[in-house]
Amino acid sequence: MKAATVEAPLSRERDDAELSRATVRRVTVRLIPFVFVLFVCNYLDRNNIGIAKLQMARDLSWLSESVYGFGAGVFFIGYSLLEVPSNLILARVGARRWMARIMISWGIVASAMMFVRTPMQFYVLRFLLGVTEAGFFPGIVYYFSDWFPARERARALAWFMTAIPVSAAIGNPISGLLLGLDGRRDLAGWEWLFLIEGIPSVLLGVAVLAALPDRPSDAKWLTDEQRTWLAARIERDRETSGAPHGVPPLRALVHPVILLSSVVYFFAMLSSYSYAFWAPTIVRDAIGASNLAVGLVTGAMGAFAAVVMVLVGARSDRRGERGKHAAASISIAAVGWLGAGILPNPHVRMIALALVPAGVYGFLGPFWVMPATLLQGSAAAAGIALVNALGATAGFVGPYAVGLLKDATGSTAGSCVGLSVTALVTAGLCLALGRRVSAFRPVRPV
């Protein structure tokens, strides 16, 4: 009798563990590959200007380094202004319809970049691209909080965000090949690039309506038992997370951890977007590579960064630690920027430059778990969007500053050293953020 009494709880624990594994596995298989492809298109349409610029400068005499830097960065003005409103709308109407709207509209604007003929057209279309993309990334981060238990979330976010380096690993070589269509049907290669790379986003936006359920209760591919377990587990995570329940969205915007997260993300994104928009130019200037070779080199850097990103996210989940993992990762980017700026051998500089995306993207998984677990409901939607919006303003500051310095000095070396310093500052702030997050204790619902 006593043995049977002991075995019963053990059997239930085994059954619960198996149900947990099966449910998370099913959610991962059904959601991660699809949203991964969406994010690949998102980053490709946002950043393909870096490869296109290699040829646009030949055809558009007004495209100086500073004009390019301003146009690349003005995307983030429109993007930042609409982040919070967009995510609040998503929380109200559901991810399926709102994500479809976002993707279809940005795909149309991305293809319209082929019609750029003046600086003002360049600025306006880049601004509109930011407006239409606003809300996609923070929307997915918020969406995942309804689908993945807290202990699985950094790994899920890391797999999702590997789309960032993978978009470079796949997209940059493809973009380099598309530049080779130069002259076909009287279109320049960069015109073909924008036209072709915007179309998949429109088509996938339509597919979202059929493939992306708003919440677990809508997922017909989960069993009743799995839906019940997942809903209970997500609710338990919220009750024990220390998240301030019932916080109005506007109060979430001044939550101390959200404000600190915004500062951390801003400094990290100085590195991320400066790399995204200027790496092709840095590689070309350093080793004198062709457009296709530049795409292949930066693509290889993206592939390496994707591997690092997954490994860091998995280790962060295993250890249950976020701040130190984020800090260590962004410190690697600091070393990479410094090497890219001061090392004399151009090929060694390229090896150092490869550390930048590895460090930046390794930072993202553990970082985003921190603000995403401290708020709930519409407050979470608003807080996550604010972090992304304020961080995204670095996408304007960084590329534009690099362009101004390159026009003034003829080199990107000074910018690389400056970005190394900001990455080190980010590492210190990550440690402070990690301590603040761990200091929060569960708050009873109101």
Side-chain angles (χ1 to χ4, degrees):
M1 178 69 76
K2 187 174 183 180
T5 304
V6 172
E7 287 177 5
L10 291 176
S11 178
R12 285 196 298 271
E13 287 179 9
R14 284 194 297 268
D15 290 344
D16 287 345
E18 179 55 34
L19 178 60
S20 169
R21 285 192 295 270
T23 304
V24 172
R25 188 185 311 119
R26 180 70 63 86
V27 170
T28 300
V29 169
R30 292 302 295 260
L31 292 184
I32 295 294
F34 184 63
V35 297
F36 172 87
V37 172
L38 303 185
F39 203 24
V40 167
C41 291
N42 177 260
Y43 251 71
L44 182 61
D45 287 339
R46 176 189 303 188
N47 295 336
N48 59 11
I49 188 70
I51 296 292
K53 178 248 187 185
L54 301 176
Q55 198 177 78
M56 291 175 73
R58 176 202 67 187
D59 297 339
L60 306 173
S61 59
W62 45 264
L63 192 65
S64 66
E65 305 289 5
S66 54
V67 167
Y68 165 74
F70 184 85
V74 77
F75 165 97
F76 296 96
I77 303 300
Y79 185 81
S80 299
L81 290 174
L82 273 294
E83 281 284 80
V84 173
S86 180
N87 229 30
L88 289 175
I89 293 172
L90 181 144
R92 181 176 293 272
V93 307
R96 184 175 61 88
R97 286 182 290 172
W98 196 243
M99 286 296 173
R101 193 285 305 164
I102 289 173
M103 293 200 65
I104 292 169
S105 59
W106 102 48
I108 292 171
V109 176
S111 288
M113 284 289 297
M114 68 180 291
F115 299 114
V116 164
R117 294 296 181 272
T118 68
M120 185 54 65
Q121 291 172 354
F122 182 45
Y123 299 152
V124 168
L125 282 174
R126 286 291 298 178
F127 177 83
L128 289 177
L129 186 62
V131 168
T132 53
E133 279 194 23
F136 177 80
F137 175 75
I140 293 294
V141 174
Y142 171 69
Y143 181 70
F144 276 11
S145 68
D146 282 335
W147 287 89
F148 290 95
R151 66 179 295 176
E152 309 285 347
R153 208 167 293 156
R155 186 182 290 108
L157 286 170
W159 276 112
F160 162 62
M161 289 187 290
T162 54
I164 302 174
V166 167
S167 71
I170 298 173
N172 285 358
I174 291 175
S175 297
L177 286 171
L178 290 175
L179 292 182
L181 296 177
D182 193 41
R184 300 285 181 90
R185 296 187 178 274
D186 296 324
L187 293 178
W190 59 270
E191 292 174 314
W192 280 113
L193 185 158
F194 289 128
L195 172 63
I196 292 172
E197 292 186 353
I199 292 173
S201 297
V202 176
L203 298 178
L204 285 167
V206 175
V208 163
L209 293 172
L212 197 69
D214 284 320
R215 58 190 65 85
S217 60
D218 299 328
K220 296 179 180 179
W221 35 265
L222 290 175
T223 66
D224 290 341
E225 186 181 26
Q226 288 172 335
R227 283 193 288 266
T228 300
W229 176 87
L230 185 57
R233 179 56 184 271
I234 295 296
E235 183 60 28
R236 188 177 77 184
D237 285 345
R238 287 171 175 165
E239 295 294 333
T240 60
S241 68
H245 299 242
V247 175
L250 292 181
R251 277 191 59 194
L253 301 183
V254 294
H255 191 286
V257 169
I258 294 300
L259 293 177
L260 180 56
S261 297
S262 299
V263 175
V264 171
Y265 197 55
F266 174 85
F267 281 111
M269 290 303 97
L270 285 174
S271 285
S272 179
Y273 290 117
S274 295
Y275 172 84
F277 292 123
W278 284 101
T281 299
I282 293 172
V283 171
R284 184 197 61 188
D285 291 350
I287 60 178
S290 67
N291 293 336
L292 177 57
V294 168
L296 292 172
V297 170
T298 53
M301 293 178 181
F304 171 61
V307 173
V308 173
M309 191 174 198
V310 172
L311 293 176
V312 172
R315 190 177 190 276
S316 176
D317 273 346
R318 284 197 305 272
R319 298 295 181 92
E321 197 286 323
R322 313 303 181 185
K324 293 178 183 177
H325 281 78
S329 296
I330 202 67
S331 296
I332 292 172
V335 173
W337 278 125
L338 185 63
I342 68 173
L343 291 173
N345 185 288
H347 294 93
V348 178
R349 287 206 306 275
M350 294 306 93
I351 294 174
L353 185 65
L355 296 177
V356 174
V360 170
Y361 301 145
F363 153 92
L364 291 174
F367 167 78
W368 273 111
V369 173
M370 292 187 279
T373 57
L374 288 175
L375 296 169
Q376 298 181 23
S378 58
I384 292 168
L386 179 68
V387 173
N388 198 53
L390 295 182
T393 60
F396 173 75
V397 175
Y400 187 35
V402 174
L404 288 172
L405 283 172
K406 191 171 189 300
D407 269 344
T409 66
S411 170
T412 55
S415 299
C416 289
V417 174
L419 288 165
S420 176
V421 173
T422 61
L424 283 176
V425 171
T426 309
L429 292 173
C430 280
L431 295 175
L433 177 61
R435 288 193 294 269
R436 291 296 300 270
V437 170
S438 63
F440 275 88
R441 293 292 181 266
V443 178
R444 294 182 62 83
V446 297

